[in-house]
Amino acid sequence: MSTSSVVVAARREQTDRGAAKGHRMVRCWKRSDTRLEEEQCTDGSPVASPWSHFSHKAFWVSLSALLLLVIVALGLTGHLGLSRPHSQIVRIAAPDQHGALINQTAVVDLQNDLVTFSVTSPANRTSTVLFDVKHGLICYKPADQDSCFLRTMEKSDYDGVNSLLRKSAHESLFQLSGNETQRQMEFLGVLASSQVDVTSLEEPLQALCQDGSVHWTQRADGPGKQRLVYFCIDICFPSNICVSVCFYYLPE
């Protein structure tokens, strides 16, 4: 048998074995004029490109970088959310019924659902009105008085406070116009015999009324001719509504 026949037979034998075992690399030989040279060949299967390996690696690197950016963004968002103040100060200026300017400062405590108004009259006397939204109570502390007066919140009270909460997210100063402001009047009768134990109140109310007496009040149509209105407190909201809350004592 000639040398060429031996080489061809060996090549066929190795090729047949490679085909029987599946797609894999087999060893082939080629003949030159001077020597037998070894070369690699396949059984016809496509050879994997080095670019496919590079693309696969690049995909995982990009995905890891994207996940890292998302984690960093969430961390910054959480940090900013925790560092945001729970309370903010809103100033409201509005004319009273006689055209004199009323200056109000409202401290909005979002964490505890509290809105505290400090109302300064034209006579430079400051009264405090506390809206405890969580417990549905309003506490009035008139200027130069040790007494506090309580009543439960009604729908109109929630509407006024909600208007303040909505608009205070975008503005901190409101200048109400006398021509556009709606004016309302409320009369509250003081129940002198219904004194409240200060220690039974929630902490914000206790802090406001700790040095004086606390009385319940009830809404009424008016004091009548036989009753005297002792004082009034004007409260204005960004919704262009000003309410004059007037107090008088009911008979025992």
Side-chain angles (χ1 to χ4, degrees):
M1 183 179 296
S2 65
T3 305
S4 299
S5 300
V6 173
V7 172
V8 171
R11 182 171 182 175
R12 286 179 178 176
E13 182 181 358
Q14 291 183 357
T15 302
D16 294 341
R17 291 177 181 176
K21 294 183 180 181
H23 298 291
R24 69 175 186 175
M25 188 72 69
V26 297
R27 183 170 302 215
C28 301
W29 301 85
K30 69 178 181 178
R31 181 183 178 186
S32 66
D33 294 338
T34 57
R35 59 191 176 87
L36 292 176
E37 296 180 354
E38 182 180 2
E39 68 174 359
Q40 290 184 340
C41 60
T42 64
D43 59 353
S45 301
V47 179
S49 171
W51 289 102
S52 63
H53 176 71
F54 175 78
S55 300
H56 184 72
K57 182 178 180 180
F59 169 75
W60 286 108
V61 171
S62 301
L63 182 60
S64 301
L66 179 60
L67 290 176
L68 180 61
L69 289 176
V70 171
I71 293 173
V72 171
L74 291 176
L76 290 175
T77 303
H79 175 72
L80 292 176
L82 292 175
S83 61
R84 288 179 59 189
H86 294 296
S87 60
Q88 59 188 100
I89 298 176
V90 179
R91 291 178 173 83
I92 304 173
D96 64 4
Q97 297 177 352
H98 306 288
L101 189 64
I102 302 174
N103 290 312
Q104 293 184 171
T105 300
V107 179
V108 181
D109 186 345
L110 299 175
Q111 184 178 18
N112 297 308
D113 291 332
L114 296 172
V115 178
T116 305
F117 282 90
S118 296
V119 183
T120 302
S121 68
N124 201 27
R125 301 173 63 188
T126 301
S127 301
T128 303
V129 182
L130 174 62
F131 289 81
D132 187 349
V133 180
K134 182 184 297 184
H135 300 97
L137 293 174
I138 307 175
C139 183
Y140 303 89
K141 185 175 177 55
D144 303 329
Q145 292 193 29
D146 294 332
S147 300
C148 287
F149 303 94
L150 289 175
R151 78 172 178 89
T152 57
M153 291 184 64
E154 300 177 359
K155 182 181 182 302
S156 59
D157 303 312
Y158 286 105
D159 292 340
V161 171
N162 287 333
S163 71
L164 175 62
L165 295 177
R166 287 194 305 269
K167 296 188 176 184
S168 64
H170 309 285
E171 299 180 57
S172 60
L173 177 62
F174 299 91
Q175 181 76 46
L176 305 187
S177 172
N179 296 330
E180 300 177 357
T181 302
Q182 302 178 21
R183 301 190 180 278
Q184 302 174 3
M185 181 168 286
E186 296 179 358
F187 292 97
L188 296 180
V190 180
L191 304 174
S193 60
S194 61
Q195 189 166 338
V196 180
D197 183 6
V198 177
T199 60
S200 66
L201 301 176
E202 298 296 328
E203 182 178 352
L205 300 179
Q206 286 190 34
L208 180 62
C209 306
Q210 61 182 350
D211 297 327
S213 60
V214 182
H215 300 275
W216 279 105
T217 64
Q218 65 182 28
R219 184 189 288 270
D221 295 332
K225 295 182 180 180
Q226 72 278 12
R227 290 292 163 185
L228 178 66
V229 173
Y230 286 90
F231 57 89
C232 296
I233 300 176
D234 293 324
I235 307 172
C236 295
F237 299 96
S239 55
N240 281 326
I241 295 178
C242 288
V243 182
S244 293
V245 183
C246 299
F247 296 82
Y248 68 97
Y249 283 91
L250 293 173
E252 297 291 338

